[in-house]
Amino acid sequence: MMTVQLVLVYVVLSLALAALLCLRWKRRKLYAAAATMDGPPCVPFLGHAYLLFGKQTGEHIIEVFDKYAPRYNSPIGIWMGPKLIVAIKDNPEYFQKVMNSPHLLSKMDQYNFFRAENGLLTAPEHVWKTERKLLNRSFSPMMLSSFVDIFNKKDLILVENLRKFVGAGVFNSQLYISKCTIDALFENAFGRDIGTQAHDGHDEYLQCLDTFLSLVFKRVLHVERYLECIYRLTKDYATESSCVNIIRNMSLDLMKEVKENAHQAQQQPVEETYGGKPALNFAHSLSSLAKQNPSLTEDHIKDHIDTMIMAGHDTTATTIANLLLMLAMHPEVQEMVYQEVMSVCPDKSKPVTMEDANNLAYTEMVCKETMRLFPVAPVIGRKCAADVKLDDKHTIPAGCCVALGIYQIHRDPMIWGPEPGKFNPDHFLPERVAERHPYAYLPFSGGPRNCIGIRYAWLSMKIMIAHLVRNYRFKTPLVMEDLVLKFAIVLRITNGCLVSIEDRPSS
């Protein structure tokens, strides 16, 4: 009997060893590529996952990045169990090759946690290629100029809402800016005035968005929750489902309007064209997309709507709140922005025009420096469909993932000088920009799959800042050394964007 048991054990171990050897043979290109890369010590089975043990918050994750990233050069081979992730965090040439490679256009599987599989942020390559072309029309120069009046209208409401804080001490500006940006987004993209700024306190819809995004990030950190069947057993799934229902109900309402007003897409003035086609807002572009592709499902359209809302308002709101904090911390920079605004558009009672915004060159430098230090998307993940050669020594093998460290390259002393953590808008003087590799600065990603709303974001930010600085002077008790950052879906300042405001004297 004992002999039979020993034989069985021997057979099982032999089969397990054979399976392991077979697996390693099939994955030999991954191991060979990883062997050429830098990185921390790796342990069997776990790989580098041990570095994240006990690190379950965004603050902890950034501590790990800050501790280990400076020790190694790109590309860095990171094993998360059996999964190879190639991390790139310092070489602009590598960034350019990855972001422009036709084999690295699909996103990591974790992006599916957003529950918007066909939105532009997460869509598979073949879906994204087709639909990005049409949706680009929603951000054409003609469409942007039509958004200016709405930006001004919403920003003036924000200015009045902040007046109650004049002389009232420190407050967190993030909520008020978020309400303004989401109001502008809904009206510009969907023609819907949701009036979020008319209500005091937290808006339910905004709260659901924030909660949902925090749960997505939490799931990313818990590998055991990657399987949907396991995640459904957690309390977080119930909370997420409640938030998703509220978000999706709004999307359903918007989708009904898209369908009801689909004929408007054909009634746009033909002289306002983009690439020879009528300039359409986002809702009308979706209608046109649905007409061209009858197989487009309702879930597909909802995914586009959800993605536009989630990606469109929070990123802009966070950047503007961070920017106000930077102005409050650096009064000399704030004064230069104020002087520029007053030289371009001094009358508080008049709207800021598109031409005015285009003339705010120093203000744009300040926006760019804020996004350098606090990029809203600190890490971007891609899947590799075929081998991509980085240089003569390093190849990204098919089947692995690539993590692009935007946060790290934005603070690389080899690119930004010996004090990369210092706030200095002069980094974006024209002569310095001309000397720098174009892929050293990537606040909106890069390559063909960059952010569709780049021009929308710059325009909305400059118009809002112009309104705010010509009405108020901002101060803060915080200094740069106080700031604690955390990785999340969007990079956050955990201290909050704490400012106090004073009235500017009328000119």
Side-chain angles (χ1 to χ4, degrees), residues 158-312:
L158 172 64
V159 168
E160 290 307 309
N161 285 346
L162 294 184
R163 202 163 297 283
K164 63 186 175 185
F165 292 107
V166 172
V170 173
F171 71 102
N172 192 344
S173 65
Q174 178 82 45
L175 174 62
Y176 298 90
I177 294 169
S178 290
K179 287 184 174 185
C180 183
T181 57
I182 201 165
D183 274 2
L185 176 65
F186 266 80
E187 191 158 348
N188 280 325
F190 305 106
R192 169 83 75 87
D193 186 356
I194 60 174
T196 305
Q197 293 191 92
H199 309 293
D200 289 331
H202 287 271
D203 178 80
E204 181 187 39
Y205 186 76
L206 278 175
Q207 280 189 311
C208 285
L209 283 174
D210 289 341
T211 301
F212 173 72
L213 292 175
S214 68
L215 290 174
V216 170
F217 182 69
K218 185 177 179 180
R219 189 178 178 188
V220 169
L221 297 182
H222 289 76
V223 178
E224 72 277 7
R225 297 187 177 195
Y226 281 18
L227 288 175
E228 186 73 14
C229 59
I230 294 177
Y231 184 53
R232 286 174 179 268
L233 300 176
T234 67
K235 291 182 179 178
D236 284 345
Y237 176 77
T239 304
E240 180 191 294
S241 297
S242 177
C243 292
V244 168
N245 285 337
I246 292 172
I247 294 168
R248 277 292 167 99
N249 284 337
M250 176 68 82
S251 297
L252 282 169
D253 288 344
L254 291 171
M255 191 171 65
K256 289 177 184 176
E257 294 181 13
V258 166
K259 288 184 174 181
E260 290 171 359
N261 299 310
H263 67 279
Q264 295 182 20
Q266 298 177 337
Q267 297 176 353
Q268 296 294 315
V270 294
E271 64 272 11
E272 291 190 9
T273 61
Y274 176 69
K277 298 179 180 179
L280 310 174
N281 73 10
F282 191 74
H284 291 156
S285 289
L286 281 179
S287 296
S288 181
L289 184 63
K291 284 184 176 182
Q292 293 180 22
N293 186 0
S295 64
L296 203 67
T297 66
E298 290 192 355
D299 283 341
H300 198 149
I301 296 174
K302 282 188 293 184
D303 285 349
H304 279 304
I305 293 173
D306 289 345
T307 301
M308 177 56 63
I309 295 169
M310 284 190 286

Side-chain angles (χ1 to χ4, degrees), residues 467-485:
H467 279 289
L468 290 173
V469 300
R470 71 184 185 182
N471 280 277
Y472 302 120
R473 179 180 288 107
F474 295 86
K475 296 183 177 181
T476 183
L478 297 174
V479 295
M480 292 293 286
E481 291 73 21
D482 293 333
L483 301 185
V484 178
L485 304 182

Side-chain angles (χ1 to χ4, degrees), residues 95-109:
F95 275 83
Q96 185 171 17
K97 287 183 179 180
V98 168
M99 289 180 159
N100 287 281
S101 170
H103 307 304
L104 282 157
L105 288 173
S106 290
K107 300 295 184 73
M108 279 184 177
D109 291 338

